């Protein structure tokens, strides 16, 4: 793109109609009554100065006479005002109803980005609700050559309470010298009245809350509509937030660029001054000025393109519906496109030319998922188009911008002939997740970020339902979704006292960033899934449609959702249940219960009790207080040996309860939480555990695959918490040599991976490897290296081969090395599901030239494939190679900043890599803080990764010392919550070793003694 000719842009065309939500009579922004402030003084002659001085003196004398009276009157008025910012709770329905009083500011002054100006010192980080935006007329002019962009925005807003200032969000924007304020009209459709007061002084900035304050010398009037025009200039973000530039290598070695945006949760303020909170919805009319030969994309379809005088192109877009700032999107690229029409909606996929052939899967699966999700919602998709675009770099796997969904290339592009089964499943789920957001996030939006779960739980749930609908043979809902690493890990993290409620409290900016975690995404989905099973899938869908219809184009809170579902129950079933009462303990307090079932084998009564489940026995003393006393209403779906077809359900409402199961024999087991429908763990008396173990050994297929996986997962975590002997958990695994289903093996191998990390530097590690190999070998012999058509069998094959080779099986390693050699030397194709294993083994057992080959494949490989090569580079027994690998990862020209986090995950998975990664992390702390702590996901993931292997008091001491020395650097940023979780997790690991090691050691010795 050519150099920017003018630092600040003027509108190429005047402001146009902003959509249906305008309150003025003719839909136009009237320019009469413009008030403009200029930072610099206007030149004047000496006489004028003298006259002005005399006039000022007279005014001062008169002012002194009236000062007491005026001050008293003002004080009386102010005494009746409570700061609006103090009252900015996220629980109110509409911006206009959140209050009508002005916030207060203190005297803090610090330099702002465009000069030394006074900073307001607000008493809350939330915006006041005196003003409500109606429409943004926004023009952006990106300039890659100067690494910057210019912008101009006209914000039309309505005043809900008289106020003498305008408070917006603005971060790292260099505001132009003049700002124009215009009165447009009144909310009842009448024309403009008197002009508003003058803007006084320069904008004031309060950096911690990203506020820009514009002071007026007179109040804005309640019910009146105003227009504010601001021009500005800014640098592209280097953190993949806001507006950023991503470069890539095109054909023939040419470097190309794409301009993209990522505005969630609070990145819009990096791109344009705005009311950057989810409840401040407005319409947007967007124009992007760009170089010829490029295509500009935004949320709505292109309306027209107009050449500019300086040889650029202004692409104008249709006005959006009402939407939140975090959903606005901008792209400038020269990508290829393919489109289809689905239910009167243009559905398009976009990608750079070099990888465009890999968009077919997204187009095929995406259109099918779109059709299902539109039907499920009961509401027609409201926009004329939906674009899915694959970006070379993105901070997240996907982002739901309304009408313009953005993805990492590795999470949208797919060659069906070369992608593994788990990769295709993951990409399908991500595509479904972002499409589902078009209704659950975009059409109906959470009021604030404490209710992030409201959009994420439904996107996850509906993504699984869509995949189940399109591929019912995969059992995504009942099986595969319960074996994901995210689901298993959130059950672990939520058993720590550092967890948080699904509906969290947001006290500052860092809480927003830290709320983007597994609890908000995956615990919320599991709990809502539990509710769906309880009320029935048809009632649930009916309630969700009612919810969307009632709150379309608006914001909602949790009680709105529960009310809709309660109404659906009354309408469809004639049942009156207060869903709010049922759900509040699950949503508003952290943690989850363990249900203990103790049988009286003579009376056939089962006594049940609930307690909060915590991994460390001392953690109960560190729990925050809860109004629900860590009690839940627990739906218990239970079954026993002769009663499997239609298991009954019992709701445990208090601390304890009982079941009478007279038809169950004394030699029959009972099993609760069938299909893991509830978010809790279950413990049994010793005799019932023995009966379950006996059943698995004799005929494990009597118990479903998902229930087998749940039993093993529950048992190991109960043992960690000291509620069950570790030998019971280990005994549950002794049947696995007969197991041929993916889900139980996936869960068990993840649990054994934890045990392996704990034992990796003990004498028992060798016996653990022998035992795992002993259980895997029969499966390995059956499933082998040959291709299979079953999706589940392919998933199982990949897990078994990867595990067996990693634990040192010679036959597995030999075959993997052979496949790798034939691939490198002769170009022989490796089946996709075998690649993760083969690449890792081949590189780990290769020489320096092998590693350089792998490095080049990562640098130049196709999307998705290159990440497999990146993982393989961590496979070495040479510490210096791992150090070099991490050093390379810090160079963005070699490794994209998002992939750096992946590098550390792979290094830590190497038995010798944990301490190397921890040391490297500490040595380069400043780089990681600067690069990752201001955004979502990455900093949190990095901290979790480098600390997950800690298991000794020495590790805990080092961790605490590091936190104490660096916690100030994370104030207002992401990461501190994860450090606190790491402290608790390390304490759990230390306790696990102290209480379980000797028992495990003895059990393993006996288990492999006949080997």
């Amino acid at each position: 793109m050519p150099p920017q000719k003018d630092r600040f842009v003027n509108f190429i065309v005047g402001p146009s109609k902003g959509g249906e939500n305008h309150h003025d009579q003719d839909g136009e922004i009237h320019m009469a009554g413009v008030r403009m402030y200029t930072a610099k003084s206007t030149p004047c002659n000496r006489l004028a100065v003298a006259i002005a001085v005399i006039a000022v003196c007279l005014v001062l004398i008169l002012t002194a006479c009236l000062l007491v009276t005026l001050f008293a009157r003002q004080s009386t008025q102010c005494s009746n005002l409570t700061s609006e910012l103090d009252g900015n709770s996220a629980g109110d329905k509409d911006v206009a109803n959140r209050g009508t009083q002005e916030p207060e500011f203190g005297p803090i002054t610090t330099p702002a980005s465009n000069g030394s100006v006074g900073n307001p010192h607000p008493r809350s980080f939330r915006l006041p609700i005196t003003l409500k935006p109606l429409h943004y007329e926004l023009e952006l002019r990106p300039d890659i050559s100067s690494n910057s962009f210019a912008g101009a925005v006209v914000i039309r807003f309505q005043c809900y309470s008289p106020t003498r200032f305008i408070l917006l969000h603005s971060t790292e924007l260099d505001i132009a010298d003049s700002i124009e304020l215009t009165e447009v009209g009144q909310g009842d459709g009448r024309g403009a009245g008197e002009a508003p007061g003058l803007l006084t002084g320069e904008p004031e900035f309060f950096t911690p809350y990203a506020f820009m304050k514009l002071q007026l010398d007179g109040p804005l009037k309640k019910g009146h509509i105003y227009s504010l025009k601001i021009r500005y200039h800014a640098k592209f973000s280097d953190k993949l937030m806001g507006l950023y530039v991503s470069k890539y290598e095109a054909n023939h070695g040419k470097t190309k660029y794409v301009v993209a945006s990522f505005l969630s949760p609070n990145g819009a303020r990096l791109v344009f001054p705005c009311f950057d909170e989810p409840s401040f919805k407005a319409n947007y009319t967007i124009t992007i000025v760009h170089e010829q030969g490029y295509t500009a994309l935004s949320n709505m379809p292109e309306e027209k393109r107009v050449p500019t005088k300086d040889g650029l192109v202004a692409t104008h877009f249709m006005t959006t519906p009402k939407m939140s700032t975090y959903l606005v999107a901008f792209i400038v690229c020269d990508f290829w496109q393919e489109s289809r029409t689905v239910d009167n909606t243009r559905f398009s996929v976009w990608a750079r030319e070099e990888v465009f052939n890999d968009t077919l899967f997204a187009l095929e699966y995406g259109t099918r998922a779109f059709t299902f999700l539109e039907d499920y919602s009961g509401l027609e998709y409201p926009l004329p188009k939906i674009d899915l675009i694959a970006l070379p770099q993105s901070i997240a796997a996907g982002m739901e911008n309304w009408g313009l969904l953005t993805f990492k290339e590795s999470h949208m592009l797919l060659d069906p002939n070369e992608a593994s089964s788990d990769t295709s499943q993951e990409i399908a789920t991500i595509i479904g997740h972002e499409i589902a957001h078009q209704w659950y996030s975009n059409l109906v939006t959470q009021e604030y970020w404490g209710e992030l779960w409201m959009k994420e739980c439904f996107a996850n749930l509906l993504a699984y339902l869509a995949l189940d609908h399109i591929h019912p043979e995969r059992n995504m809902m009942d099986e595969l979704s319960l074996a994901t690493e995210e689901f298993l890990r959130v059950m672990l993290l939520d058993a720590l006292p550092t967890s948080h409620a699904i509906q969290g409290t947001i006290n500052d900016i860092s809480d927003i960033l830290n709320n983007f975690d597994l609890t908000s995404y995956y615990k919320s989905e599991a709990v809502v899934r539990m509710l769906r099973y309880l009320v029935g899938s048809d009632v649930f869908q009916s309630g969700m449609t009612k919810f969307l219809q009632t709150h379309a184009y608006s914001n909602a809170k949790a009680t709105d959702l529960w009310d809709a579902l309660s109404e659906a129950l009354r309408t469809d079933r004639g049942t009156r249940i207060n869903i709010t009462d049922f759900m509040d303990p699950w949503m508003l307090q952290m943690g989850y219960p363990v249900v203990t079932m103790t049988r009286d084998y003579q009376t056939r009564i089962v006594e049940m009790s609930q307690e909060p489940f915590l991994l460390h026995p001392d953690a109960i003393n560190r729990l925050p207080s809860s109004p629900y006393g860590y009690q839940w209403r627990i739906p218990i779906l239970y079954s026993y040996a002769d009663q499997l077809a239609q298991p009954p359900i019992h709701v445990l409402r208090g601390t304890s309860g009982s079941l009478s199961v007279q038809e169950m024999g004394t030699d029959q087991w009972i099993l609760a939480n069938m299909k893991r429908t509830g978010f809790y763990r279950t413990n049994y008396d010793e005799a019932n555990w023995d009966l379950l173990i006996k059943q698995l050994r004799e005929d494990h297929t009597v118990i479903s695959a998902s229930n087998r996986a749940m039993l093993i997962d529950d048992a190991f975590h109960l043992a960690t918490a000291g509620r069950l002997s570790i030998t019971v958990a280990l005994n549950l695994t002794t049947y696995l040599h007969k197991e041929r289903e993916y889900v139980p093996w996936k869960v068990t191998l993840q649990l054994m991976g934890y045990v392996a990390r704990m034992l990796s530097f003990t004498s028992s590690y060798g016996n653990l490897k022998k035992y795992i190999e002993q259980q895997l070998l029969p499966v390995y012999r059956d499933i082998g290296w040959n291709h299979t058509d079953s999706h589940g069998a392919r998933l199982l094959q990949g897990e078994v081969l990867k595990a067996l080779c990693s634990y040192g099986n010679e036959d597995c390693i030999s075959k993997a090395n052979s496949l790798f050699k034939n691939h490198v030397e002769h170009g022989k194709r490796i089946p996709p599901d075998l690649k993760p294993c083969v690449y890792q083994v081949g590189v780990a057992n290769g020489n320096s030239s092998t590693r350089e080959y792998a490095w080049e494949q990562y640098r130049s490989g196709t999307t998705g494939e290159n990440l497999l090569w990146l993982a393989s580079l961590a496979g070495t027994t040479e510490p210096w190679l791992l150090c070099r690998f991490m050093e390379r990862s810090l160079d963005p020209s070699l490794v994209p900043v998002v992939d750096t986090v992946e590098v550390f995950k792979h290094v830590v998975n190497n038995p010798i890599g944990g301490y190397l990664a921890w040391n490297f992390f500490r040595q380069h702390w400043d780089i990681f803080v600067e690069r990752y702590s201001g955004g979502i996901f990455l900093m949190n993931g990095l901290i979790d990764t480098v600390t997950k292997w800690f298991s000794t008091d020495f590790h805990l001491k080092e961790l605490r010392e590091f936190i104490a020395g660096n916690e100030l650097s994370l104030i207002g940023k992401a990461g501190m919550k994860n450090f606190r979780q790491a402290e608790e997790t390390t304490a759990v690991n230390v306790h696990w070793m102290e209480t379980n090691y000797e028992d495990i050691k003895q059990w393993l010795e006996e288990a492999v003694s006949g080997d």
Side-chain angles (χ1 to χ4, degrees), residues 149 153 241 353 369 524 560 623 665 682 703 724 796 990:
F149 64 95
V153 63
M241 295 289 291
E353 175 187 357
S524 64
D560 298 324
L623 284 178
T682 313
I703 301 173
L724 185 68
L796 176 62
V990 172

Side-chain angles (χ1 to χ4, degrees), residues 554-732:
S554 185
N555 298 85
K557 52 186 180 292
T559 52
D560 298 324
L561 175 60
W562 309 144
D563 288 347
L565 290 169
S566 296
E567 177 62 28
L569 269 174
R570 286 191 293 271
T571 303
D572 298 0
R573 298 275 182 86
T575 304
R576 291 185 176 275
I577 296 177
N578 190 326
I579 292 180
T580 299
D581 288 348
F582 176 82
M583 291 299 290
D584 276 356
W586 293 100
M587 311 303 296
L588 302 179
Q589 64 182 348
M590 57 153 284
Y592 58 88
V594 53
V595 174
T596 300
M597 305 185 77
T598 306
R599 295 171 58 184
D600 185 323
Y601 289 82
Q602 300 303 315
T603 63
R604 301 185 184 183
I605 300 294
V606 180
E607 297 293 338
M608 299 179 295
S609 63
Q610 64 162 302
E611 297 175 85
F613 180 75
L614 296 163
L615 289 172
H616 197 289
D618 295 338
I620 191 73
N621 301 317
R622 297 191 295 279
L623 284 178
S625 62
S626 166
Y628 306 98
Y630 293 101
Q631 297 287 300
W632 296 263
R633 295 186 183 185
I634 308 170
I636 300 175
L637 193 69
Y638 66 95
S639 186
Y640 44 91
D642 289 339
Q643 201 275 333
L644 292 171
Q646 292 183 331
I649 189 168
H650 173 86
V651 177
L652 180 61
R653 291 180 170 84
T655 304
S656 61
S658 62
L659 290 173
S660 177
V661 283
Q662 297 301 310
E663 64 275 22
M664 184 173 64
T666 58
D667 59 346
Q668 294 178 321
W669 45 262
I670 189 170
L671 177 64
N673 204 12
M674 301 292 289
K675 297 183 179 180
R676 208 164 203 169
T677 50
F679 194 78
Y680 60 92
R681 299 195 187 276
T682 313
N683 200 1
Y684 307 94
D685 57 81
E686 185 176 351
N688 197 75
W689 278 114
D690 289 342
L691 289 170
L692 288 165
I693 292 168
K694 182 174 181 287
Q695 179 67 73
L696 291 176
R697 288 172 174 172
E698 291 177 355
D699 184 2
H700 62 282
T701 61
V702 171
I703 301 173
S704 71
S706 60
N707 287 332
R708 299 195 296 269
M710 176 189 65
L711 279 171
I712 296 171
D713 186 49
D714 278 355
F716 271 91
H717 286 92
L718 289 165
T720 298
R723 294 178 175 271
L724 185 68
S725 169
I726 190 66
T727 59
V728 173
L730 291 167
N731 286 335
L732 280 167

Side-chain angles (χ1 to χ4, degrees), residues 347-403:
F347 191 106
S348 303
V349 291
W350 298 76
R352 54 191 175 94
E353 175 187 357
E354 295 75 19
V355 294
F356 186 76
N357 289 337
D358 292 341
T359 60
L360 182 60
F361 177 85
L363 184 62
E364 295 282 355
Y365 183 82
T367 52
R368 296 177 71 183
F370 175 84
T371 300
F372 168 80
L373 292 167
E374 185 178 49
D375 290 344
Y376 188 93
S377 74
L379 277 75
E380 184 177 357
Y381 176 72
L383 273 62
K385 61 97 172 176
I386 182 169
D387 293 328
L388 279 63
I389 186 166
L391 298 173
Q393 290 190 57
S394 176
I395 197 172
M399 178 58 205
E400 70 263 24
N401 316 300
W402 211 353

Side-chain angles (χ1 to χ4, degrees), residues 52-67 70:
V53 169
I54 295 171
V56 168
C57 291
L58 292 173
V59 170
L60 287 174
I61 293 170
L62 291 173
T63 301
C65 297
L66 297 173
L67 182 59
L70 292 175

